[in-house]
């Protein structure tokens, strides 16, 4: 059983009161107006623009995230999402006409997007700014009020958000509750109209269970072991560069980072050398000295990652420092792929999500063997295929399942606002980004209007005379 963690009484009262206030404000209708929504999004952009240095400093303190990386993957990414949403929101919200079948005509059918109410956003620590604000953009864009719970494991970003969000955004609509398990547990006791959770599957299950009590819909943005297939005819230097970048950015603490590489025995040495060369190009001979290389978020995760190092042969990197929670970009040779259905090979590095800068290279005999290996495991959040032939790319798209796929690229699929971002199976449920966010946080309400004139509805109403029965008979036959 999961132990129940009690929050201090004052904080508990704070949570209850916060949700009540968010609900009362939603009931006023103030958040439904599209101008209000657009103004909130503009205010969020202003918050980021005017406080860029503060956010960058907080990210550096929490994760040793370099300012330039932070601009690309956190601030810039959120600002891009805001701009995209502001540009298209009116169109997304326009009621959509839907055609009606002849038997129901004349009538007018529409889909009207209505906000759900009060939304809870629970964020993780690895992209603590982006993964708190990106869902909030959708929640506000859809016209909801929101309670946001940033990650306690990125305390500096959490504190800046708690200070600035209510200052820039309408404080009656957007609330920040800081804290960890106790506060989140208390939040989860409350009734929300949607819960948007990003993090591990373990906590995702706790969230889903709590949501079930209130029949609250959930979006679960989880993780998993995202594989890479590196084919014999793949572009070596190009693939190595993109794999190294996607894997070791943020010291590997990215939900869609490549978790491990599958390739044939002949390619292992060349790929290892090429990825190593790209690491050196990006972060230098000693990444520990690079201002652009991250650190592991806490001692627990650092120790967990060091444990993996003993489960293979370190072919590149491996240097580490407990005091600064440094772990160099590391390539681990782990040999032949174990049979995923047997647990004879008990190596954690092959079964757990790594979520750090260790890239195992796993050997298989063929692309089909890689497909079988992937299919024997849980459905990943992302899958990456580096291959020279369209047929190989197609094989992986058609024969495996994943939240998203990158072909000859990794990481970037999450940066296309027109593509939904989310998992499938063990990697999550639901999706967001751009229009998909607005859909996630809205109810698409069907509305049907029918004039009294030209009314053929009587056919479906008793008494059922013989000719009505004949029509019903025809209606119930297949075409
Ligand atoms: P986590 O599940 O430990 O924590 C996430 C959030 O849950 C935090 O806000 C935390 O306070 C809260 N939480 C933790 N324990 C809780 C409990 N017992 N009850 C209630 N709430 C609790 O996740 P994490 O370590 O921050 O993130 C790592 C995982 O998240 C990885 O699996 C990664 O792949 C996944 N992830 C997914 C995405 C995505 O977009 N799909 C993005 C980032 C991370």
């Amino acid at each position: 059983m999961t132990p129940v963690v009690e929050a201090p009484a004052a904080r508990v009262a704070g949570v209850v009161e916060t949700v009540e206030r968010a609900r009362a404000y939603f009931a006023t209708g103030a958040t439904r107006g599209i101008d209000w929504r657009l103004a909130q999004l503009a205010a969020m952009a202003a918050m980021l623009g005017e406080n860029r240095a503060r956010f960058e400093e907080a990210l550096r303190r929490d994760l040793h995230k370099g300012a330039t990386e932070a601009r690309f993957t956190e601030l810039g990414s959120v600002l891009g999402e805001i701009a995209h949403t502001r540009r298209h929101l009116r169109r997304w919200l326009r009621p959509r006409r839907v055609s009606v079948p002849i038997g129901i005509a004349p009538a007018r059918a529409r889909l009207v997007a209505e906000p759900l109410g009060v939304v809870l956003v629970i964020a993780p620590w690895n992209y603590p700014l982006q993964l708190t604000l990106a869902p909030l953009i959708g929640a506000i864009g859809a016209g909801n009020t929101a309670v946001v719970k940033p990650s306690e494991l990125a305390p500096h970003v959490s504190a800046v958000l708690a200070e600035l969000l209510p200052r820039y955004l309408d404080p009656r609509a957007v609330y920040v509750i800081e804290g960890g398990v106790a506060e989140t547990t208390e939040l989860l006791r409350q009734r929300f109209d949607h819960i948007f959770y990003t993090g591990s599957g373990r906590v995702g299950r706790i969230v889903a269970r709590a949501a079930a009590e209130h029949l609250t819909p959930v979006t679960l943005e989880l993780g998993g072991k995202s594989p890479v297939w590196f084919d014999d005819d793949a572009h070596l230097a190009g693939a190595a560069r993109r794999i190294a970048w996607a894997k070791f950015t943020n010291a590997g603490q990215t939900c869609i980072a490549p978790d491990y590489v599958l390739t044939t025995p002949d390619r292992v040495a060349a790929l290892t050398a090429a990825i190593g060369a790209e690491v050196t190009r990006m972060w230098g001979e000693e990444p520990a000295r690079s201002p652009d290389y991250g650190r592991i978020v806490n001692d627990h995760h650092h120790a967990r990652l060091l444990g993996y190092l003993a489960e293979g042969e370190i072919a590149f990197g491996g240097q580490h420092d407990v005091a600064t929670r440094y772990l160099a970009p590391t390539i681990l040779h782990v040999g032949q792929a174990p049979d995923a259905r047997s647990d004879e090979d008990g190596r954690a590095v092959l079964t757990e999500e790594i979520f750090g800068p260790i890239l195992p290279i796993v050997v298989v005999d063929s692309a089909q063997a890689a497909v079988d290996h992937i299919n024997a495991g849980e459905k990943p959040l992302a899958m990456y295929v580096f291959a020279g032939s369209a047929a190989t790319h197609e094989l992986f798209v058609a024969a495996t399942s994943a939240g998203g796929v990158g072909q000859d690229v990794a990481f970037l699929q999450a940066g296309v606002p027109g593509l939904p971002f989310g998992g499938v199976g063990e990697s999550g449920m639901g999706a967001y980004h751009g229009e998909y966010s607005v859909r996630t946080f809205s109810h698409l309400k069907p509305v049907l209007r029918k004039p009294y004139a030209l009314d053929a509805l009587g056919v479906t109403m008793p008494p059922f005379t013989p000719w009505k029965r004949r029509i019903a008979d025809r209606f119930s036959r297949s075409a």
Side-chain angles (χ1 to χ4, degrees), residues 166-448:
R167 242 174 52 202
Y168 279 82
L169 274 64
D170 186 339
R172 296 160 299 182
V174 176
Y175 300 82
V176 180
I177 300 274
E178 288 193 87
V181 176
E183 290 76 8
T184 316
T185 304
E186 189 53 36
L187 276 166
L188 288 172
R189 288 203 183 104
Q190 313 309 311
R191 180 172 165 211
F192 288 93
D193 299 292
H194 193 96
I195 300 177
F196 190 104
Y197 167 79
T198 304
S200 68
R202 182 185 68 81
V203 177
R205 285 172 167 79
I206 296 173
V207 170
R209 248 179 253 131
E213 277 304 312
H214 299 288
L215 289 180
T216 297
V218 291
T219 303
L220 300 179
E221 293 283 340
L222 311 178
K225 289 185 86 63
S226 296
V228 174
W229 167 245
F230 178 72
D231 203 86
D232 289 353
D233 62 1
H235 185 304
L236 177 64
R241 188 163 175 69
R242 291 178 179 188
I243 293 170
W245 169 66
K247 175 70 185 185
F248 299 117
T249 289
N250 202 27
Q253 300 164 113
T254 303
C255 55
I256 50 169
D259 188 273
Y260 64 101
V261 177
L262 290 158
T263 193
T264 56
D266 294 352
R267 297 291 267 168
V268 173
L271 184 62
T272 302
I275 294 178
E278 293 300 338
V279 166
T280 305
R281 185 137 78 113
M282 286 185 246
W283 292 285
E285 294 283 349
E286 276 185 78
R289 291 167 172 269
S290 167
D292 300 322
Y293 186 69
R295 295 295 181 273
I296 306 307
V297 67
N298 60 25
D299 294 341
H300 162 75
H301 282 292
H302 194 254
R304 175 180 65 81
L305 290 164
L306 295 190
Y308 296 147
L309 294 180
E311 296 187 331
E313 175 208 331
I314 296 173
F316 181 85
Q319 301 82 0
H320 51 84
D321 175 44
V322 172
T324 55
R325 298 191 306 276
Y326 169 72
L327 174 54
T330 298
I331 301 174
L332 202 65
H333 287 176
V334 294
Q336 200 75 24
D339 181 348
R341 278 152 295 205
S342 90
D343 42 344
E344 272 167 31
D345 190 322
R347 287 181 288 178
V349 75
L350 297 176
T351 51
E352 294 172 0
E353 178 180 0
I354 295 171
F355 218 57
I358 299 173
L359 183 67
I361 300 189
V362 180
V363 173
V364 288
D365 293 332
S366 63
Q368 184 57 52
V371 166
D372 294 342
H373 180 81
I374 292 166
N375 286 340
E378 298 291 356
K379 294 180 179 180
L381 184 59
M383 190 188 57
Y384 302 116
V385 180
F386 291 86
S389 91
T392 306
H393 280 299
E394 202 38 47
L395 169 71
F396 281 85
V397 171
T400 67
S401 179
V405 176
Q407 299 185 321
D408 296 330
V409 73
F411 205 35
L412 272 189
Q413 73 279 12
V416 180
L419 288 177
F421 179 72
V424 55
E426 188 70 21
S427 55
M429 61 176 83
Y432 73 130
H433 284 189
E435 187 173 6
Y436 293 92
S437 293
V438 172
R439 281 195 205 169
T440 287
F441 291 111
S442 301
H443 168 55
L444 274 188
K445 183 165 63 182
V447 178
L448 181 75

Side-chain angles (χ1 to χ4, degrees), residues 50-106:
E50 290 167 21
N51 299 277
R52 191 163 81 157
R54 286 193 67 189
F55 283 114
E56 285 170 8
E57 175 61 11
L59 288 160
R60 196 192 59 75
R61 292 173 79 172
D62 284 335
L63 290 152
H64 199 259
K65 220 173 258 209
T68 310
E69 184 182 311
R71 288 176 196 177
F72 277 127
T73 65
E74 300 257 21
L75 291 129
S77 148
V78 175
L79 285 165
E81 181 79 5
I82 293 173
H84 180 73
T85 306
R86 291 184 68 208
R87 198 171 313 127
H88 298 290
L89 190 63
R90 283 187 197 276
R91 181 166 58 80
W92 295 339
L93 292 175
R94 224 173 273 149
R96 283 175 219 181
R97 287 288 291 268
V98 175
S99 64
V100 293
I102 187 80
I104 293 178

